[in-house]
């Protein structure tokens, strides 16, 4: 019989619990911007490249079905924060590009998100936070070697 493990030692539980705590704090911090974590994430991705980001790539990065991205982009577009254009490399797909207003709101929202994160991570050495980020990135975005 396997030795039982305390729930507080279960890494999956801890990741889920901390993720939920941070998600709630970030959503609360974003209220004045009219964004939530998902729409904020799409806006941040749209700001990463001046020409825009591939809508399917946004879905893959966020781990969502492309149909879920459509509603998020619709909301951002209605607010004048992003525009959609045809992807010149694949006309069946769209690029999402941030407007100047979208970049301004992203800056404000990012400051709010950073402050929310700070409440959880202050007091933890930068080297530990950076190691945690690197580890989570390697899990969330694995590099497949053939």
């Amino acid at each position: 019989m396997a030795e039982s493990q305390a729930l507080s030692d279960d890494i999956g539980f801890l990741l889920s619990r901390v993720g939920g705590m941070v998600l709630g704090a970030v959503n609360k911090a974003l209220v004045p911007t009219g964004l939530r974590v998902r729409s904020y994430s799409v806006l941040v991705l749209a700001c990463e490249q001046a020409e825009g980001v591939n809508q399917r790539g946004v879905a893959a990065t966020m781990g969502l079905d492309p149909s879920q991205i459509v509603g998020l982009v619709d909301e951002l577009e209605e607010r004048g924060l992003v525009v959609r254009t045809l992807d010149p490399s694949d006309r069946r797909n769209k690029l999402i590009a941030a407007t100047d207003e979208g970049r301004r709101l992203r800056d404000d929202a990012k400051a709010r998100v950073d402050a929310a994160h700070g409440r959880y991570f202050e007091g933890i050495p930068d080297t530990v936070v950076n190691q945690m980020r690197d580890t989570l990135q390697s899990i969330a975005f694995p590099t497949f070697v053939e």
Side-chain angles (χ1 to χ4, degrees):
M1 179 190 279
E3 185 178 324
S4 70
Q5 179 182 20
L7 185 60
S8 60
D9 291 334
D10 183 292
I11 195 155
F13 169 77
L14 292 170
L15 284 167
S16 178
R17 175 134 164 87
V18 170
M21 292 166 62
V22 172
L23 176 74
V26 168
N27 273 331
K28 185 175 179 181
L30 288 172
V31 166
T33 68
L35 298 171
R36 296 188 51 81
V37 167
R38 284 185 174 180
S39 54
Y40 166 74
S41 299
V42 172
L43 182 59
V44 168
L45 289 169
C47 288
E48 287 184 356
Q49 298 179 36
E51 68 277 3
V53 290
N54 177 294
Q55 192 164 312
R56 287 188 185 142
V58 168
T61 297
M62 292 180 61
L64 298 174
D65 187 88
S67 64
Q68 293 174 290
I69 298 300
V70 171
L72 294 168
V73 176
D74 285 348
E75 173 193 324
L76 295 171
E77 192 172 41
E78 287 170 12
R79 292 182 59 189
L81 303 173
V82 300
V83 293
R84 285 184 176 110
T85 59
L86 288 176
D87 184 343
S89 64
D90 181 356
R91 295 183 58 80
R92 296 169 296 170
N93 201 11
K94 303 274 179 151
L95 294 178
I96 307 162
T99 63
D100 290 341
E101 181 60 28
R103 290 180 191 286
R104 281 191 290 277
L105 186 63
R106 183 269 325 257
D107 292 344
D108 176 38
K110 183 174 182 339
R112 294 170 185 279
V113 168
D114 289 347
H117 288 167
R119 288 190 287 279
Y120 288 97
F121 301 114
E122 72 182 348
I124 299 174
D126 288 345
T127 55
V128 173
V129 173
N130 291 335
Q131 183 179 18
M132 188 175 4
R133 180 183 300 108
D134 291 346
T135 300
L136 292 172
Q137 285 173 340
S138 73
I139 294 168
F141 308 110
T143 303
F144 295 103
V145 178
E146 294 183 31

